[in-house]
Amino acid sequence: MLGVKLDVNKKPQKIVTAKSSERDENFYNFIRKLTILVVLITIFVMATVMAPQPVRLVPQFFLGMMFAHGVELQHELTHHVIFSNERQNRFVAIILGLPMLVSFSLYKAMHGHHHSALGTSEDKETFNYNYEKLTSIPGFILHVSMLGHYSGVLENIRVSVLGKLREDVSPQVARRIRKEFCLMVGVITFMVVFSVLLRTSIFFDIWLLPLFLAAGPVHALIELPEHLNCNNHTTDPFQNTRTIRASKLISWYVNGNNYHVEHHVNAALPIYKLADFHHQIASNIEHLELSYWMFYQKLFQKLLGEKTITCRNEQKVS
């Protein structure tokens, strides 16, 4: 259980109230991204099944990357009702989160709280990362392993199977969360039984190995720069959040997550509009990196013994 109450009514995240034409554009934009994801997953699954060892590790890695990309699309659905109603929105979001064992309803509640509480002592990230241990290479490895997330999943599954409801969210949300973790139990049970009865490693090959090989670490690497070494003692997103400029390919893959200051300034803004919004506010952003490569270069310099990391404005971030 969490140490803080997820009071999403305290300071609600912004909700889209776009015109009909804008909603349609947002819908078709998302459908294009969803279609690309399905096509790529299909290709990498087929390549994994047909490729010999150890060549299949390559499509397995890319398959895991698609699992992580799916969670970035799921994130978009926590802010926007893309589909015709909330039920359809939740259905698609649940499917997107299943490969990485992410409960959409829990993610939505915690992420809404994160937007409301960012810069305060009540803030809490969704995936149980180990930011406090990011002071060394072993700590970095522990962070990207996402072991905290998986241990949290096991605990939520245990509580859900016992029929207990979370007390840090509304009863309705708590019931949804329990159903989603029970669904995970059903899916995992099916995969285990199917694998044992048919003596196949198919689910290990197309799910478990890609999950630990790529999905977890890549997802952690996508999210790590968002607020690390920013000023977490202010509620000003221009100071407590980082934006990273990236190529169109990388921006597509992280689903606009690189424009994180822009997202926190206006969470209601559709993802495809964040790049344009960036040009309007870039001069006010305290932590602006020119690429993910530059961010991680500075991070590893610090982990390997450098005393400071410098941002665009050359201020120290210790």
Side-chain angles (χ1 to χ4, degrees), residues 215-257:
V218 170
H219 178 73
L221 290 174
I222 291 172
E223 294 208 326
L224 190 150
E226 295 174 350
H227 307 288
L228 183 68
N229 292 314
C230 296
N231 186 351
N232 60 3
H233 299 297
T234 175
T235 58
D236 182 1
F238 289 105
Q239 298 183 45
N240 63 25
T241 306
R242 175 178 287 101
T243 276
I244 298 179
R245 287 176 177 165
S247 67
K248 290 184 178 180
L249 177 63
I250 297 298
S251 188
W252 159 79
Y253 178 69
V254 302
N255 199 30
N257 193 65

Side-chain angles (χ1 to χ4, degrees), residues 20 24 34 73 85 103-104 106 108 112 120 225 261 291 299 313:
S20 177
D24 289 344
L34 191 60
L73 296 186
N85 57 61
S103 160
F104 171 67
L106 179 57
K108 184 176 182 179
T120 73
V261 173
S291 68
L299 175 62
N313 58 6

Side-chain angles (χ1 to χ4, degrees), residues 16-295:
V16 172
T17 56
K19 297 178 181 179
S20 177
S21 60
E22 293 175 336
R23 288 197 299 269
D24 289 344
E25 186 175 1
N26 204 19
F27 172 78
Y28 290 117
N29 183 277
F30 188 86
I31 290 298
R32 283 193 295 270
K33 292 185 289 188
L34 191 60
T35 301
I36 293 172
L37 174 63
V38 171
V39 170
L40 289 175
I41 284 179
T42 302
I43 291 173
F44 293 135
V45 167
M46 294 176 62
T48 296
V49 171
M50 293 186 295
Q53 292 284 15
V55 177
R56 69 174 54 177
L57 285 173
V58 175
Q60 284 174 322
F61 183 85
F62 284 109
L63 182 57
M65 288 186 65
M66 292 304 103
F67 293 167
H69 178 59
V71 173
E72 295 306 317
L73 296 186
Q74 186 189 46
H75 164 253
E76 186 172 354
L77 297 180
T78 67
H79 291 280
H80 304 267
V81 179
I82 302 292
F83 298 89
S84 60
N85 57 61
E86 177 60 38
R87 179 172 294 182
Q88 293 179 5
N89 212 67
R90 181 182 172 224
F91 173 78
V92 174
I94 288 173
I95 300 301
L96 287 170
L98 266 179
M100 286 197 66
L101 303 174
V102 179
S103 160
F104 171 67
S105 297
L106 179 57
Y107 185 10
K108 184 176 182 179
M110 294 189 68
H111 191 64
H113 176 78
H114 167 65
H115 273 265
S116 301
L118 182 62
T120 73
S121 59
E122 295 181 355
D123 183 28
K124 183 174 179 63
E125 290 280 3
T126 305
F127 291 94
N128 293 325
Y129 291 122
N130 301 102
Y131 286 106
E132 67 281 357
K133 296 183 179 180
L134 269 175
T135 57
S136 64
I137 296 299
F140 174 81
I141 294 173
L142 175 64
H143 181 93
V144 300
S145 72
M146 290 191 68
L147 290 180
H149 167 63
Y150 301 128
S151 63
V153 169
L154 290 176
E155 174 61 17
N156 277 298
I157 285 177
R158 183 189 71 82
V159 171
S160 299
V161 169
L162 293 175
K164 297 180 180 179
L165 296 177
R166 300 178 69 98
E167 298 178 354
D168 53 357
V169 295
S170 70
Q172 180 185 28
V173 173
R175 286 191 293 270
R176 289 179 177 177
I177 292 172
R178 186 174 70 84
K179 289 178 181 178
E180 290 165 17
F181 279 108
C182 286
L183 173 63
M184 292 181 198
V185 173
V187 171
I188 293 173
T189 300
F190 168 79
M191 290 191 295
V192 171
V193 172
F194 184 91
S195 299
V196 171
L197 292 179
L198 297 186
R199 297 180 180 180
T200 177
S201 63
I202 184 66
F203 289 114
F204 175 83
D205 290 332
I206 68 170
W207 175 61
L208 199 59
L209 187 57
L211 174 65
F212 289 102
L213 176 67
V218 170
H219 178 73
L221 290 174
I222 291 172
E223 294 208 326
L224 190 150
E226 295 174 350
H227 307 288
L228 183 68
N229 292 314
C230 296
N231 186 351
N232 60 3
H233 299 297
T234 175
T235 58
D236 182 1
F238 289 105
Q239 298 183 45
N240 63 25
T241 306
R242 175 178 287 101
T243 276
I244 298 179
R245 287 176 177 165
S247 67
K248 290 184 178 180
L249 177 63
I250 297 298
S251 188
W252 159 79
Y253 178 69
V254 302
N255 199 30
N257 193 65
N258 55 304
Y259 297 114
H260 212 64
V261 173
E262 295 76 4
H263 176 59
H264 273 277
V265 170
N266 186 358
L269 196 66
I271 298 296
Y272 69 91
K273 291 187 176 182
L274 291 178
D276 291 336
F277 188 43
H278 168 73
H279 295 298
Q280 300 176 33
I281 66 172
S283 61
N284 297 320
I285 297 175
E286 183 78 10
H287 302 284
L288 176 61
E289 293 290 351
L290 299 181
S291 68
Y292 279 96
W293 170 255
M294 292 187 66
F295 169 81

